[in-house]
Amino acid sequence: MAISNIRYGEGVTKEIGMDLQNLGARRICLMTDKNLSKLPPVNAVLNSLAKYGINFQIYDNVRVEPTDQSFLDAIQFAKKGEFDAYVAVGGGSVIDTCKAANLYAASPSSEFLDYVNAPIGKGKPVTVPLKPLIAVPTTSGTGSETTGVAIFDFKELKVKTGIASRAIKPTLGIIDPLHTLSMPERIVANSGFDVLCHALESYTALPYNKRSPCPSNPINRPAYQGSNPISDVWALHALRIVAKYLKRAIRNPEDREARANMHLASAFAGIGFGNAGVHLCHGMSYPISGLVKTYKPKDYNVDHSLVPHGLSVVLTSPAVFAFTAQIHPERHLEAAEILGADIRTARIKDAGLILADTLRKFLFDLNVDDGLAAIGYSKADIPALVKGTLPQERVTKLSPRPQTEEDLSALFEASMKLY
């Protein structure tokens, strides 16, 4: 169980300069993106660095939904800068990019594909020491401040993949709820859906003691190990917070209690799924993002089409949980109840349908696009979507119910329209 160092509280960002002093850091790389570089979260970090006389260089060229090329650009910057610590201020895109930059700058002779997950890359274990990385999340979503995972779009194959190793986990996550106040409504919604799916998928994942074969050496044990009694505690707690606060956080930007709680839920779910893993919603989401045509989401200030990660994950959730509920139906029913379903007269064999209906209602209430068709996909795209899911073994193998290509086709088809 790899547990993250977290500091939580309004205004804790002002301590970051002291943290870097305490680490003895002399040259800092501050990573963010072009939108955030003008907003209060980055300002708060800059003020603290200035106050404690910290020498830094800023890299604000992070791409929202990163690609292999955008990772490589950041890696190049990190190698040139010879930094002795990193600070990432942003959502998952920024934090993941910073993890990759830290890794490859520490391992300058490695090829890019050396650490990328198999079967796309070589999936080598990380054996080099990395520099400290402090993550300051500004969305209530990815939980990237707690995990050893960095995800990107591999353009050549039009598929998302990533790097997964406990070694790239941030040294410290600074969770300052003030930063969530600058999030627009759809970013609150989409990043919140990521928390929802992290919690549901890690709670329903293949149990850790059913995963096989056992690694020949502990260094090869994956970060994502299957559902386990410790991750379950975090996943269920995160799910309860999502049920209570996500709608409020989306509907009222002034609702500080709701936004602060969602910020914390993101980290809680991160600690859960960072050790248990996710499964089909995430495995299927990677081609949904990677094969995007012209979709441009509301509230995202970007110059390229993209499907926000949380949206790409949640659109398949009703179909996925209807499919996986054959295994551990009681967990699916428990999740439905937490999300508001009345299960007093429910039959255990209907658990999947009940959870799927509960999710549909939840998404409908929050004005979510009506399935994959609404973001530009049709039945003709299903073979390509399935083909893009097949290499995602790191997560698809954690589905409690194994799936064939036909099963995946049926799941994509069922996700074309939700309501």
Side-chain angles (χ1 to χ4, degrees), residues 308-336:
H309 170 67
L311 181 63
S312 69
V313 169
V314 85
L315 288 176
T316 61
S317 64
V320 162
F321 293 111
F323 173 79
T324 56
Q326 279 187 8
I327 319 288
H328 299 306
E330 65 291 340
R331 286 196 167 212
H332 290 70
L333 205 52
E334 185 183 0

Side-chain angles (χ1 to χ4, degrees), residues 93-318:
S93 298
V94 173
I95 299 171
D96 285 9
T97 302
C98 200
K99 290 174 186 173
N102 187 10
L103 171 61
Y104 289 95
S107 185
S109 55
S110 295
E111 296 285 315
F112 182 63
L113 286 175
D114 283 357
Y115 296 122
V116 173
N117 299 324
I120 289 170
K122 294 183 185 155
K124 287 185 177 173
V126 177
T127 52
V128 293
L130 271 60
K131 300 290 190 246
L133 190 170
I134 300 180
V136 186
T138 57
T139 63
S140 320
T142 62
S144 182
E145 69 281 3
T146 66
T147 72
V149 176
I151 300 291
F152 64 92
D153 261 312
F154 195 49
K155 279 311 215 194
E156 188 188 337
L157 298 177
K158 288 198 169 170
V159 72
K160 277 201 171 196
T161 182
I163 300 158
S165 163
R166 292 180 187 85
I168 65 172
K169 203 161 53 68
T171 323
L172 173 65
I174 291 187
I175 301 179
D176 184 339
L178 293 177
H179 298 337
T180 62
L181 302 174
S182 32
M183 264 193 299
E185 187 231 35
R186 276 298 103 182
I187 296 182
V188 179
N190 291 328
S191 60
F193 298 146
D194 202 18
V195 181
L196 170 67
C197 289
H198 286 157
L200 286 172
E201 287 173 75
S202 61
Y203 191 57
T204 56
L206 185 76
Y208 76 101
N209 52 1
K210 300 264 166 63
R211 201 186 79 248
S212 63
C214 177
S216 54
N217 182 316
I219 196 170
N220 298 322
R221 181 160 283 121
Y224 286 0
Q225 306 166 83
S227 60
N228 61 77
I230 303 179
S231 289
D232 288 351
V233 174
W234 293 99
L236 282 179
H237 191 56
L239 197 56
R240 290 193 176 98
I241 300 178
V242 168
K244 183 173 178 184
Y245 288 111
L246 179 57
K247 287 182 183 173
R248 277 174 51 183
I250 293 168
R251 289 176 178 156
N252 179 7
E254 304 298 306
D255 189 337
R256 292 171 85 125
E257 181 194 352
R259 289 210 165 182
N261 273 286
M262 280 304 302
H263 211 29
L264 212 43
S266 173
F268 289 170
I271 294 167
F273 90 85
N275 292 281
V278 284
H279 56 83
L280 290 177
C281 298
H282 272 74
M284 293 166 66
S285 82
Y286 296 138
I288 293 170
S289 290
L291 294 164
V292 63
K293 298 171 186 176
T294 54
Y295 184 76
K296 280 200 179 154
K298 183 172 162 279
D299 290 347
Y300 287 72
N301 182 12
V302 287
D303 58 1
H304 52 279
S305 49
L306 71 94
V307 182
H309 170 67
L311 181 63
S312 69
V313 169
V314 85
L315 288 176
T316 61
S317 64

Side-chain angles (χ1 to χ4, degrees), residues 4 17 20 39 286 369:
S4 320
L20 293 163
L39 293 172
Y286 296 138
D369 303 77

